[in-house]
């Protein structure tokens, strides 16, 4: 070993206790503060998909709107736009009623999804 290599080697291992820092030496595991319970109950409506059964005539009209649309590539985007327009035109009382119904339906759907997740 040259003097330079010895200096580098000393600097790399400076401050380490040779007795306690053996390579591959057993170290006690760090105790966990909380246990892992697996996948958490994270049910989200955004991840789920629903089905709307419409008469074929209305589906074709919707598909024509979607194909004609420059802004929307997917059906859920067009449906969201149509829903937004309809809700925007509601009166204050009707919009409040709409929000109450929407919250009730969301809670019912979340309840179903949680119940379904517990069965698995």
């Amino acid at each position: 070993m040259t003097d330079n290599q010895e200096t580098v080697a000393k600097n790399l291992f400076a401050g380490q206790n040779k007795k306690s820092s053996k390579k591959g030496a057993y170290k006690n595991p760090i105790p966990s503060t909380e246990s892992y319970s697996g996948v958490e109950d994270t049910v989200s409506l955004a991840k789920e998909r629903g089905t709307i059964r419409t008469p074929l005539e209305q589906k074709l009209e919707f598909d024509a709107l979607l194909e004609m649309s420059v802004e929307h590539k997917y059906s859920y985007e067009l449906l969201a736009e149509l829903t937004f327009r309809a809700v925007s035109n509601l009166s204050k009382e009707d919009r409040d009623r709409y929000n109450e119904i929407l919250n009730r339906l969301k809670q019912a759907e979340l309840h179903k999804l949680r119940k379904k997740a517990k069965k698995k």
Side-chain angles (χ1 to χ4, degrees):
M1 252 181 163
T2 65
D3 289 335
N4 189 27
Q5 289 175 335
E6 288 178 20
T7 307
V8 171
K10 288 180 183 177
N11 288 338
L12 286 175
F13 299 106
Q16 292 184 356
N17 185 351
K18 290 183 180 179
K19 292 181 182 177
S20 64
S21 66
K22 294 178 183 175
K23 187 174 183 178
Y26 177 76
K27 295 179 182 177
N28 289 328
I30 300 170
S32 63
T33 55
E34 54 185 66
S35 62
Y36 177 71
S37 62
V39 178
E40 293 181 23
D41 183 26
T42 55
V43 176
S44 171
L45 293 178
K47 298 176 192 173
E48 300 296 323
R49 298 287 182 245
T51 303
I52 300 175
R53 299 195 61 154
T54 61
L56 185 56
E57 184 72 26
Q58 288 178 337
K59 184 198 178 300
L60 294 175
E61 290 172 355
F62 183 81
D63 288 344
L65 274 176
L66 182 61
E67 192 172 318
M68 190 177 90
S69 175
V70 178
E71 301 171 8
H72 310 295
K73 185 176 178 182
Y74 300 104
S75 59
Y76 61 85
E77 294 172 339
L78 179 59
L79 184 60
E81 176 68 26
L82 295 172
T83 303
F84 176 77
R85 287 182 189 175
V87 171
S88 302
N89 293 333
L90 294 175
S91 67
K92 171 89 169 95
E93 295 81 24
D94 287 341
R95 194 174 309 122
D96 290 343
R97 184 170 173 251
Y98 165 80
N99 285 326
E100 288 173 8
I101 293 169
L102 179 61
N103 287 333
R104 178 179 48 82
L105 292 173
K106 282 182 180 181
Q107 291 303 319
E109 194 63 34
L110 283 170
H111 179 72
K112 285 181 196 176
L113 291 172
R114 285 188 189 111
K115 194 173 182 181
K116 184 178 177 181
K118 284 183 181 178
K119 285 185 179 181
K120 290 182 180 180

